Amino acid sequence: MEVPVFALFALAALAGGFVSGFSGFAMGLVVSGIWLHIITPMQTATLIAGYGLLTQGYGIFKLRHVLDLRKAWPLALGTVIGIPIGVSILAYLNPSYLRFGVGVLLVLYAVYGLTKPVFAPVKIGVGADIAIGVSNGLLGGLTGLGGVISTISCQWRGWPKDVQRAVFQPVLFVAFIVISSSQAVAGTITKETLTLYALGVPFMVAGLWSGFKLFGKINDETFRNTVLALLLLAGLSLIASVMSLAPINS
């Protein structure tokens, strides 16, 4: 890899780590915008899953004082169930229409949240949490956005920012375990990709550290708006990916 290309790769890793450290998710959304232009889509997907284990593991460790697996396990279980179902359904659905529809819903939700007062807290039971987790996994298998629904559901409950992250980050960690395991079985984790992973780790960790430092200085409302802004970005990214191929699937 040439020096200018590696500089872009490292900068994306630094930015992705920072966003993950600050918000707890969206690392893949940040890095893919650059990596897809300089490395292969398969390498990008493999690195996002591998770095996802690092970023989510780091977040879980930093938030261990508020970690409550009783809140996280139903979402995690549902996510594990939903991911392979979502992947299998892909063969029967038009991915362009799906991405566009999900993107529009995310944009509407984020805009509504950013322009309205804080949502009234919602109490959600174990059964509903498992169903939410299944939906979360389905969306992850269908679009690659494996933590969106679980993150939104944590917002609904009115929990403090630390508690929200202590729930949805373990869910994301489990999702990345499933994805990385599937990639290993499929043989997509190559020596070249592992080399790229090792080279990017220092930059990812530096971004994580700085992002988490900033997270510790913000209040719950700022965190809420940050999450909504990232969900808006995710929605716009899905819409843009489809519009770039317009007319849809033609």
Side-chain angles (χ1 to χ4, degrees):
M1 183 180 288
E2 298 178 355
V3 173
V5 176
F6 177 72
L8 284 174
F9 175 82
L11 180 62
L14 182 69
F18 177 82
V19 169
S20 183
F22 182 64
S23 69
F25 75 112
M27 177 271 295
L29 182 67
V30 173
V31 299
S32 61
I34 296 177
W35 287 354
L36 286 173
H37 296 286
I38 58 178
I39 58 178
T40 68
M42 186 63 70
Q43 287 177 321
T44 298
T46 303
L47 288 172
I48 287 173
Y51 284 130
L53 292 172
L54 172 64
T55 57
Q56 299 309 315
Y58 181 88
I60 292 169
F61 174 77
K62 294 291 287 185
L63 295 167
R64 62 190 183 280
H65 60 287
V66 290
L67 193 64
D68 187 349
L69 295 182
R70 292 174 300 177
K71 291 185 175 74
W73 78 261
L75 289 169
L77 175 62
T79 297
V80 171
I81 295 170
I83 288 175
I85 298 175
V87 172
S88 63
I89 291 176
L90 266 180
Y92 305 97
L93 293 178
N94 184 319
S96 294
Y97 286 116
L98 178 69
R99 286 176 172 269
F100 187 83
V102 172
V104 169
L105 289 175
L106 285 176
V107 168
L108 291 175
Y109 173 81
V111 170
Y112 177 82
L114 288 168
T115 56
K116 295 292 182 180
V118 177
F119 304 118
V122 176
K123 189 173 183 179
I124 302 175
V126 172
D129 260 345
I130 294 176
I132 290 171
V134 172
S135 300
N136 187 60
L138 277 170
L139 186 62
L142 289 167
T143 68
L145 297 175
V148 167
I149 294 179
S150 60
T151 301
I152 290 174
S153 75
C154 287
Q155 275 199 333
W156 292 344
R157 303 163 208 255
W159 291 333
K161 60 186 177 71
D162 287 9
V163 176
Q164 287 187 47
R165 287 187 60 167
V167 171
F168 72 68
Q169 292 209 237
V171 174
L172 280 167
F173 185 78
V174 170
F176 282 126
I177 288 177
V178 174
I179 295 169
S180 294
S181 299
S182 300
Q183 291 171 340
V185 171
T188 62
I189 303 178
T190 64
K191 182 178 179 180
E192 182 181 5
T193 303
L194 289 173
T195 300
L196 282 173
Y197 184 91
L199 291 172
V201 163
F203 301 95
M204 185 67 66
V205 170
L208 267 173
W209 179 84
S210 56
F212 229 104
K213 291 288 285 185
L214 184 58
F215 169 75
K217 298 178 181 179
I218 63 172
N219 58 29
D220 289 342
E221 179 62 17
T222 300
F223 178 72
R224 171 184 177 273
N225 289 332
T226 298
V227 170
L228 287 168
L230 289 171
L231 291 173
L232 176 62
L233 179 61
L236 291 174
S237 176
L238 285 175
I239 294 172
S241 70
V242 175
M243 295 303 291
S244 65
L245 302 175
I248 296 177
N249 204 37
S250 66

